[in-house]
C-alpha cells in the first residue's frame, strides 16, 4: 500500500478547532473538533492522533504543520499576560501613559484609557541618550541596568521590554542592556528590545509594540513548548510553522521571539485563502466575511491582494480597522492584513438589559459552556440557539453528525429568557435576534468598504467560517450586495488558508539621511544592506532562499509631516519614488505638493517564498443523512418545509431558493428571492435579486 505524507493546517477558534489535511498527491480532507480552552495543545494532539489512526499511517508521515492561534490575542483581551517590566531612557518611563492623546469616542467624560501592560513601578529608567542620527550623547550607565535587574528580580517579573530613545538608529545601548539583563535575570525571564522588534521612529508606537511583545511572549513560549511536547508524545516531530498577522508563515521559534506578530493570525489565514480563491478571477473587488463562534470578521481584497496596514490596536473591543478610530487599545506597529472584527458569532449571548433592550454579543459562550443547544452546560441563550429555532441549522447534530445537539433546550432558553419576558412569539424573537446580529455584522463590512470610500454594492461577498454561510445572504441584502460566494470547505476555510500561504517575512531599516541628502547610489546601498540582513536571518532559520522573491518598498513623507505613506520601490530611483509618493498622497488625501521635499523614512523589504504544492482536490464527502425541515424566513409568516440538500446536488444550472445546503463543516441558507448555481471550481454562487 502506498504510504502518503501529510501537511496539516490547524486553526483554533473559540468553539471549534478546524483541521485541514493535504496529502502529498493533493487530496484534501477536513475535520472539525471541539476546542479545548484549558489547553489548546491537548485538542491538537488528540485530533492528530485520531487522524493518524484513521489514515492507518505513522506519525513520521506528517511532514509539516501550519498553525494559527488566538493564544496571543486572548492573553491581552483577558489581561492574562506575563508580569512585565520596562527598561527605558531616563525621563521616558511614562510614554505608555501619555500615549497619543487620542480617544476612540467623543464627548465621553467617563472614558478610561486602557491601563498600561507594564505597571508604573515596573517601568524603570537608565541613564543614556542617543541622537536621532544614532550618535551617542550620553553613554549607557551599566550600573543603572544592573540596579533595574535587581528590582525586576525582587518584583518577580516574567518578561522585560527594552526601549531606549532613538535606538532604531543605533541599537548598541539596547544590545548592551539586554546582555546585562540576561546575565542578571537568567533564561527564564523573557527579554526583548525595541530595536529588534520594531527598528522604526516613533517612541510611543515602538515602546507599545515591544511591551505587547514582552507581555505575551512568555504565554506564547509556554504554549509553543507545550505544543511541541504534546506532538512529540504522539511521535510527531515535524517542523511547526505559524501564521503571522501579515498573512505569511514563520517558524515556531521566530514566532516565540516576535510574539506580537501572532495577534490576529487566525483571521489573516482566512483572508489569504479568500485572496487565493479569487486571484486571477472576474471579481476585481471582494469582501471576505468570516463568522465563527465568537466574532465576525471582514477584509477588503482588490485585484487579488488583501488590504494591509502597519498600524493595529489590540484590546480595543471592536476593531473598526480605521485610522480615525484610535486610542482604545494597545498599538502594535507591524505588518497586518487589515481585518475588521466585531463581537458577533454563533456563541454570542442574547440578553435583555435594564432598559428592556435586547442585545446580541459581544460576550460569547465560547466552546465551553457554549450555546445551550450544545448540551455542555451553557445556560444563556445565544445566536446559535436562534439559528436552530429558525430552522437554519440542523437540530439533531453538527459536523456531519459527530456533534449532537439538544434542540429543545436551545429553544426553551430563547423562549424563557427573551421571548417570554418581551411577550413575543418565539419565531418573531428568533428573527429579531438574527436582525440585530446582522446589523452588528454589517458594521464590520462597512469598516473595510464604506468607511474607506468603497461602495460595497460593487463587491462580491465571499462567506466562510462555521456560521458565515448561514447569515451571508442576510448581510449581503442589508448592504445591497448582489452576489455571494461560498467556497469549498467554507467551514474550515481559514485552516485551508494556512496550507495555501507562503513563507513571508518583512524587514525594515530606517534612513538616517535628511531630505535631499540621499542619492540613487545611497538608496541602492541601503536596500542592499537590508537584503543582506534578511538573507542572513532567513538562512539561520533554515530556509532555502533559491526561490525567494524580494519586494522592496519605501516609507515616504513630505518634510514636516508626521506620518508617511508606503510605495513600492521597484527600480530604486529617487525621482521615481518621489513621483509614486506624490500619486499615492493625492489618491489618499486628495492633493499633492509641488514644492515640498520628499523624505525617505524607512526602507522595507518583504521576502516571500512561494508555496510549492500539487494541484489540490477535495475528498469525496461522506454521505450525510439530510431531512427537509421547516425554516422561517419572515417573522410575519409561519415556518414552511424547505428542502435540505448537499453541495453535490447542485449543478451548473441555476436553482431558485428557498433551500438549505448542509455540509460537514457548515450550512448555507438560501432565501426564496435568491438563485444559486455551482461554478466550475465547486463554489456555491448565489445571486440576490435587487430590492
Amino acid at each position: 500500500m502506498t504510504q502518503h505524507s501529510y501537511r496539516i493546517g490547524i486553526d483554533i477558534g473559540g468553539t471549534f478547532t478546524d483541521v485541514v489535511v493535504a496529502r502529498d498527491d493533493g487530496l484534501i480532507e477536513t475535520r472539525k473538533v471541539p476546542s479545548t480552552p484549558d489547553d489548546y495543545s491537548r485538542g491538537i494532539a488528540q485530533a492528530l492522533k485520531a487522524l493518524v489512526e484513521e489514515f492507518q499511517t505513522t506519525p513520521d508521515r506528517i511532514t509539516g504543520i501550519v498553525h494559527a492561534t488566538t493564544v496571543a490575542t486572548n492573553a491581552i483581551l483577558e489581561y492574562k499576560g506575563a508580569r512585565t517590566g520596562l527598561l527605558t531612557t531616563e525621563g521616558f518611563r511614562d510614554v505608555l501613559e501619555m500615549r497619543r492623546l487620542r480617544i476612540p469616542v467623543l464627548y465621553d467624560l467617563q472614558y478610561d484609557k486602557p491601563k498600561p501592560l507594564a505597571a508604573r513601578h515596573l517601568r524603570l529608567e537608565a541613564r543614556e541618550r542617543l541622537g536621532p542620527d544614532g550618535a551617542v550623547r550620553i553613554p549607557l550607565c551599566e550600573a543603572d541596568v544592573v540596579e533595574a535587574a535587581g528590582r525586576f528580580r525582587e518584583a518577580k517579573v516574567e518578561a522585560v521590554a527594552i526601549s531606549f530613545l532613538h535606538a532604531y538608529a543605533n541599537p548598541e545601548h539596547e544590545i548592551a542592556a539586554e546582555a546585562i539583563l540576561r546575565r542578571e535575570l537568567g533564561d527564564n525571564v523573557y527579554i526583548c528590545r525595541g530595536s529588534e522588534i520594531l527598528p522604526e521612529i516613533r517612541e510611543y508606537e515602538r515602546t507599545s509594540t515591544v511591551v505587547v511583545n514582552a507581555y505575551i511572549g512568555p504565554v506564547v513560549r509556554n504554549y509553543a513548548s507545550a505544543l511541541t511536547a504534546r506532538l512529540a508524545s504522539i511521535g510527531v516531530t515535524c517542523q511547526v510553522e505559524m501564521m503571522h498577522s501579515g498573512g505569511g508563515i514563520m517558524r515556531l521559534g521566530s514566532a516565540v521571539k516576535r510574539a506580537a506578530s501572532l495577534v490576529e493570525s487566525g483571521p489573516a489565514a482566512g483572508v489569504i485563502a479568500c485572496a487565493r480563491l479569487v486571484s486571477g478571477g472576474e471579481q476585481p473587488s471582494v469582501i471576505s466575511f468570516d463568522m465563527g463562534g465568537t466574532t465576525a470578521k471582514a477584509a477588503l481584497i482588490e485585484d487579488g491582494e488583501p488590504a494591509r496596514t502597519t498600524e493595529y490596536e489590540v484590546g480595543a473591543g471592536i476593531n473598526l480597522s480605521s485610522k480615525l478610530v484610535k486610542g482604545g487599545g494597545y498599538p502594535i506597529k507591524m505588518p497586518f492584513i487589515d481585518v475588521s472584527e466585531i463581537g458577533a458569532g454563533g456563541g454570542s449571548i442574547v440578553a435583555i438589559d435594564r432598559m428592556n433592550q435586547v442585545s446580541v454579543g459581544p460576550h460569547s459562550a465560547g466552546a465551553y459552556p457554549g450555546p445551550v443547544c450544545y448540551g455542555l452546560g451553557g445556560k444563556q441563550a445565544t445566536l446559535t440557539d436562534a439559528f436552530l429555532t429558525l430552522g437554519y441549522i440542523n437540530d439533531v447534530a453538527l459536523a456531519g453528525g459527530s456533534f449532537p445537539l439538544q434542540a429543545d433546550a436551545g429553544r426553551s432558553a430563547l423562549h424563557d429568557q427573551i421571548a417570554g419576558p418581551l411577550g413575543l412569539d418565539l419565531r418573531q424573537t428568533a428573527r429579531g435576534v438574527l436582525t440585530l446580529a446582522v446589523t452588528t455584522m454589517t458594521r464590520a463590512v462597512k469598516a473595510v468598504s464604506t468607511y474607506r470610500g468603497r461602495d460595497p454594492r460593487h463587491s462580491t461577498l465571499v462567506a466562510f467560517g462555521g456560521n458565515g454561510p448561514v447569515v451571508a445572504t442576510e448581510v449581503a441584502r442589508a448592504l445591497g450586495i448582489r452576489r455571494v460566494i461560498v467556497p469549498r470547505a467554507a467551514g474550515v476555510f481559514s485552516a485551508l488558508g494556512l496550507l495555501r500561504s507562503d513563507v513571508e517575512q518583512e524587514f525594515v531599516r530606517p534612513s538616517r539621511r535628511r531630505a535631499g541628502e540621499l542619492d540613487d547610489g545611497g538608496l541602492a546601498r541601503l536596500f542592499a544592506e537590508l537584503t543582506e540582513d534578511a538573507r542572513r536571518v532567513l538562512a539561520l532559520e533554515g530556509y532555502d532562499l533559491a526561490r525567494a522573491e524580494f519586494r522592496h518598498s519605501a516609507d515616504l513623507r513630505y518634510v514636516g509631516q508626521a506620518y508617511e505613506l508606503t510605495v513600492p520601490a521597484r527600480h530604486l530611483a529617487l525621482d521615481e519614488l518621489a513621483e509614486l509618493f506624490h500619486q499615492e498622497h493625492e489618491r489618499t488625501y486628495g492633493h499633492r505638493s509641488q514644492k515640498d521635499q520628499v523624505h525617505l523614512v524607512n526602507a522595507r523589504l518583504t521576502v516571500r517564498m512561494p508555496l510549492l504544492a500539487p494541484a489540490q482536490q477535495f475528498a469525496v464527502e461522506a454521505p450525510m443523512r439530510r431531512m427537509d425541515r421547516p425554516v422561517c424566513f419572515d417573522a410575519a409568516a409561519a415556518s414552511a418545509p424547505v428542502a435540505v440538500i448537499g453541495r453535490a446536488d447542485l449543478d451548473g444550472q441555476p436553482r431558485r431558493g428557498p433551500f438549505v445546503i448542509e455540509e460537514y463543516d457548515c450550512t448555507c441558507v438560501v432565501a426564496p428571492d435568491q438563485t444559486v448555481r455551482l461554478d466550475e471550481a465547486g463554489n456555491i454562487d448565489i445571486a440576490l435579486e435587487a430590492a
Side-chain angles (χ1 to χ4, degrees), residues 8-10 17-21 29-33 47 51 492 495:
I8 300 178
I10 303 172
T17 293
D18 300 335
V19 180
V20 172
V21 182
E29 302 249 13
T30 65
R31 299 290 186 274
K32 292 183 82 74
V33 297
L51 286 173
V492 294

Side-chain angles (χ1 to χ4, degrees), residues 383-448:
L383 183 56
T384 294
D385 297 308
F387 288 161
L388 187 145
T389 301
L390 292 171
Y392 279 18
I393 63 173
N394 194 306
D395 60 358
V396 177
L398 299 176
S402 63
F403 193 86
L405 298 180
Q406 296 182 5
D408 290 341
R411 297 188 188 102
S412 296
L414 192 64
H415 176 272
D416 296 344
Q417 297 171 25
I418 310 298
L422 294 178
L424 296 176
D425 174 76
L426 181 59
R427 210 169 43 247
Q428 289 179 315
T429 301
R431 282 296 308 180
V433 167
L434 175 62
T435 300
L436 281 174
V438 167
T439 301
T440 301
M441 286 181 268
T442 58
R443 294 175 58 199
V445 177
K446 287 180 179 179
V448 299

Side-chain angles (χ1 to χ4, degrees), residues 101-133:
L101 302 180
R102 289 178 172 180
I103 61 172
V105 290
L106 294 175
Y107 315 120
D108 185 354
L109 300 180
Q110 306 301 317
Y111 172 74
D112 290 323
K113 60 187 178 185
K115 63 180 182 181
L117 297 178
R120 193 171 194 273
H121 71 281
L122 296 178
R123 302 199 298 266
L124 307 181
E125 301 175 346
R127 283 169 287 180
E128 66 86 39
R129 180 59 64 92
L130 299 169
D133 59 352

Side-chain angles (χ1 to χ4, degrees), residues 357-391:
Q357 301 293 313
V358 178
S359 64
V360 183
H363 300 294
S364 173
Y368 293 98
V372 177
C373 63
Y374 281 10
L376 300 176
K379 301 298 183 183
Q380 294 177 283
T382 66
L383 183 56
T384 294
D385 297 308
F387 288 161
L388 187 145
T389 301
L390 292 171

Side-chain angles (χ1 to χ4, degrees), residues 457 473-483 656 672-674 687-691:
R457 294 174 297 180
T473 57
E474 300 274 356
V475 173
R477 183 188 289 112
L479 293 166
I481 296 174
R482 300 285 300 280
R483 186 182 185 192
R656 182 86 174 178
D673 61 343
Q674 295 159 12
L688 283 72
E689 292 182 357

